[in-house]
Amino acid sequence: MTAAPRTAVVLGGGALGTSVATHLARAGVAVTLATSGALCDGASGRSLSWLNSAGDRSAAYHALRLCGIDRYRTLFAADPTRDWLRFPGGLWWTADDPGGAAETRARHDVETARGYASQLLTREDVARTVPDLDPEAAATASILNPGEGWVSLPHLVEHLAAELRGRGGEIRTGLGECALIVEDGRAVGVRDAAGSALRADAVVVACGAGTSAVMARAGVEIPDASPLSMLVTTEPADVRAPVLNTPRAAVRPNPGGTFCVDHDWYVDRILEHEDGRCTVDEAVVEELLAEASRLFAPGTRLRAAGWAAGRKPIPADGEPVLGAVSALPGCSVAFTHSGATLALIAGETVAHEVVTGRRHPLLAEFTPDRFAA
């Protein structure tokens, strides 16, 4: 077994990168967290960040997500006054037609079979459970998952970054486009846009939707399928709700009595510019908020305080990509769609691999090596 690294560079200042860096620092590694811009200025800053393992997925992925939720519950228990982490449950429904009814029943059956808390609700049940919702907006049958929650990732990143600094870690922001330094077939650091080198015994790439490009420049293929997305943050509203996933709007509470809202029906109306910036016509924002407002009691109007668009990190096969890259010793990757739910457990398990040099059993099916063929 190789010696544990004394130093590490983590490339990426979102929830995954900050979590990996903090867990490495907890293990006694001297860590530098490096990012092209500011902390949390990418996908983590515009994530719905619904903490869940709802629906149908592989057994290994479900187990990993449950561990992810468990780590958040531990964090919540340490300080229940944090207003950026809550577990109010999640309410889901789809189209109110025969096909939708069959989909709802199938989803409920799958969740129940694997022991995931799942309750079928009628419109009358919804009215009793979430009084601020308009029950007529819901489908005839909905699913309540009472164990689910949400997190504000900017607050989580701030929390982890404070711990990282407290443990002696260094955070470098505004580095521009960075590249891996590879010598004799091994990753030995990161070079920033100005040409400065950050050398270390181990490197972890956690660049969200940019991960594939960073790895490709080092000769490692990790296929990407990251779509465009947008998140709208509202002004404070005098309504209360759990996380809502509905056919035309997904809504979650946010600190300060605000809400975060997104969906995917407007993706083709997001404009991606050559420099990577994304813009959205304000009419799309208003249309989305109108859909979200209809979920609540008549007369409710959600107003936008701001919005942001960009790529949502999703590997090509939809499964997480976590752990050591055999084709590039010294390098590990943390790249996944469920960055919010998995942030803490992914940071823990990837750091474990870096420190011990051994594959973590939870990550066996999510190794980057699956693309090597």
Side-chain angles (χ1 to χ4, degrees), residues 14-193:
L16 284 173
T18 311
S19 177
V20 172
T22 303
H23 281 89
L24 285 170
R26 289 176 184 174
V29 179
V31 183
T32 299
L33 179 63
T35 185
S36 60
L39 290 180
C40 211
D41 66 353
S44 292
R46 44 181 165 77
S47 168
L48 189 69
S49 45
W50 165 36
L51 305 178
N52 79 97
S53 189
D56 193 9
R57 61 191 78 252
S58 71
Y61 196 8
H62 178 58
L64 188 63
R65 292 176 74 104
L66 290 183
C67 288
I69 296 170
D70 171 77
R71 299 308 188 269
Y72 278 109
R73 288 195 174 278
T74 300
L75 181 62
F76 176 78
D79 184 1
T81 67
R82 294 183 176 120
D83 66 352
W84 47 267
L85 175 61
R86 288 287 183 266
F87 289 91
L91 185 62
W92 177 97
W93 69 80
T94 189
D96 198 21
D97 56 31
E103 181 182 350
T104 299
R105 171 58 69 179
R107 183 184 181 99
H108 172 67
D109 288 347
V110 165
E111 292 176 347
T112 301
R114 68 186 189 203
Y116 191 71
S118 182
Q119 302 170 11
L120 279 177
L121 303 186
T122 64
R123 284 196 178 101
E124 291 73 20
D125 295 330
V126 168
R128 288 191 296 270
T129 304
V130 192
D132 287 351
L133 287 189
D134 180 359
E136 293 305 311
T140 305
S142 305
I143 294 177
L144 175 67
N145 301 114
E148 295 177 351
W150 61 268
V151 62
S152 168
L153 290 183
H155 288 83
L156 175 68
V157 168
E158 181 181 11
H159 170 78
L160 292 174
E163 180 183 346
L164 176 60
R165 291 188 180 98
R167 292 179 179 274
E170 182 179 4
I171 299 176
R172 296 197 183 184
T173 60
L175 300 181
E177 185 175 300
C178 297
L180 294 177
I181 301 173
V182 180
E183 295 177 356
D184 299 324
R186 182 179 183 85
V188 296
V190 169
R191 193 176 305 280
D192 67 20

Side-chain angles (χ1 to χ4, degrees), residues 152-365:
S152 168
L153 290 183
H155 288 83
L156 175 68
V157 168
E158 181 181 11
H159 170 78
L160 292 174
E163 180 183 346
L164 176 60
R165 291 188 180 98
R167 292 179 179 274
E170 182 179 4
I171 299 176
R172 296 197 183 184
T173 60
L175 300 181
E177 185 175 300
C178 297
L180 294 177
I181 301 173
V182 180
E183 295 177 356
D184 299 324
R186 182 179 183 85
V188 296
V190 169
R191 193 176 305 280
D192 67 20
S196 299
L198 296 171
R199 303 180 72 89
D201 300 328
V203 181
V204 180
V205 178
C207 299
T211 298
S212 293
V214 171
M215 297 306 298
R217 289 194 290 271
V220 177
E221 180 184 6
I222 298 180
D224 172 66
S226 300
L228 292 170
S229 67
M230 175 184 70
L231 185 80
V232 179
T233 303
T234 75
E235 296 178 352
D238 190 23
V239 288
R240 299 292 178 266
V243 181
L244 304 174
N245 281 274
T246 78
R248 294 285 291 179
V251 183
R252 74 151 167 89
N254 198 49
T258 64
F259 288 91
C260 289
V261 187
D262 79 355
H263 214 275
D264 59 9
W265 51 261
Y266 49 77
V267 167
D268 59 352
R269 296 162 69 182
I270 299 174
L271 179 61
E272 186 172 31
H273 302 272
E274 290 186 2
D275 62 1
R277 292 181 306 109
C278 292
T279 54
V280 184
D281 190 287
E282 188 170 349
V284 179
V285 175
E286 292 301 322
E287 189 176 348
L288 175 62
L289 289 188
E291 296 285 358
S293 297
R294 292 187 188 102
L295 301 175
F296 295 96
T300 301
R301 183 182 176 190
L302 299 178
R303 293 177 171 84
W307 60 91
R311 292 282 170 180
K312 177 189 295 185
I314 300 182
D317 63 3
E319 297 285 293
V321 183
L322 300 169
V325 181
S326 295
L328 186 60
C331 181
S332 298
V333 169
F335 172 36
T336 182
H337 162 50
S338 46
T341 300
L342 297 186
L344 297 179
I345 190 61
E348 176 185 323
T349 50
V350 170
H352 174 90
E353 286 199 358
V354 172
V355 171
T356 66
R358 300 190 301 270
R359 292 283 188 200
H360 194 292
L362 276 175
L363 305 185
E365 295 192 21

